Structure formats: structure tokens, C-alpha cells
Amino acid sequence: MKKLVLSGVAGAVLACAVAAPAFAAAPREIPVGFLKYESKKAQEKNFSWEVSDKARPLALLSDCPSKRPSVRKAEDSRTVSASGDSDYRYVEQLVILPSPAAAQQVMKGLKAGAASCATKKLAVRTTPVAKLGDEAFTFSAQNVTKDSLGGAERAVVVRKGSSVLVYSQFVAYGEVGKHDFKLLLTDASAMAPRLCKAAGEC
């Protein structure tokens, strides 16, 4: 008789365990003021500044937006953009993906998109950057048609854990050179060690 009672209790406990709902972890959020240029909006008057927490496509591959990998499943994102005369634009963007594997797929998609974006009129290049996050690369897209002003996009992309960080700069003229990446790399190097804090991974 006792065995029957114990068996019934165990069955009830098991049933409750199966029926109990699984609680998913709350989405991670980027702290206010986390990005380098968030405070510049009030300080720098020579540019038009915008800070947005709305989900946006990655600030890269401006000439081939259809080649960008999707980040719609990101847990959080923030984009700071500054624009000025002569079609100048500088963007700082952080996206937190659900996992490091998902962030790796975004990086892979960006590289593949960049490769397929290249044409006879648009010279595209990606170059790995060592010792920056878990993986990083520089990106450039240069208009090489004879009648163009040489407009170019330059960027540095960094992944650390689940986070993907982009610093992107666009100018209406001028050929891409190593000096063009100085500010981008300086900003990326300063922010990269902090990315795991935003993602709650350190």
C-alpha cells in the first residue's frame, strides 16, 4: 500500500515538473551612455547627430544594402550617426545577438556580402585585423568610375562574444588610404574591451 502512495506522489511531482513553464532569460540591453559618441550630440554643433535604439540594418555595405545579413533577431542595438556637409557621415553602431554563434554568422555574412558587392565600378576590400575582439576586419568600398568624385565608404567591424560593433565613415570624394582607418581603428580599439560588459558576458 505504501508503495502505491509513494508512486502516486512521485507521479504528481513529475507531472508538475513537466507542466511547469520554462522562463526565458530577459533580453540584454545596452546601458544608456555606453557608446563613445552618445554624448557628442550635445557637444558637437558642426554635425547633425542622431542616437537611435530602433532596430536598424548594419551600418555597412551602403552601395549594396541587399547584401547585408539580417540582424532582426538581435536582443538590442544602438546607432549613433553624425552627418555634415559634402555627404559626410560617421556611424557608431552596436548590436547584441542572441549568442556568439549568431554573431559569428553575421560577421560571415558581412564578409560574403562585401565580396559579392564588388564590381568593375566599385572596388571592395576586406582585411582581417589581428588582436581586436574575437575577430575583426576593415572594409572599404571605392567608386572607381572615371566620372565619379571617388566617393568611398570605410569601416571597421569587431565581434566580441555576442556583440558586433561597427564604425563606418562615408565621404563624397577621395581615394581610400591607410590613414583613413586611423580614427575608425582608434575608436574600435577603445570600445572592444568593453563589449562583453554590454552583452553581460564578463
Side-chain angles (χ1 to χ4, degrees), residues 86-101:
S86 301
D87 295 324
Y88 176 85
R89 185 176 71 251
Y90 194 87
V91 179
E92 176 184 38
Q93 185 179 48
L94 175 59
V95 179
I96 300 178
L97 281 302
S99 67

Side-chain angles (χ1 to χ4, degrees), residues 169-194:
Q169 184 181 51
F170 178 86
V171 295
Y173 56 87
E175 294 184 4
V176 174
K178 289 184 178 181
H179 63 281
D180 294 310
F181 294 97
K182 184 176 180 180
L183 176 60
L184 297 164
L185 285 168
T186 297
D187 286 342
S189 297
M191 185 61 67
R194 303 179 57 210

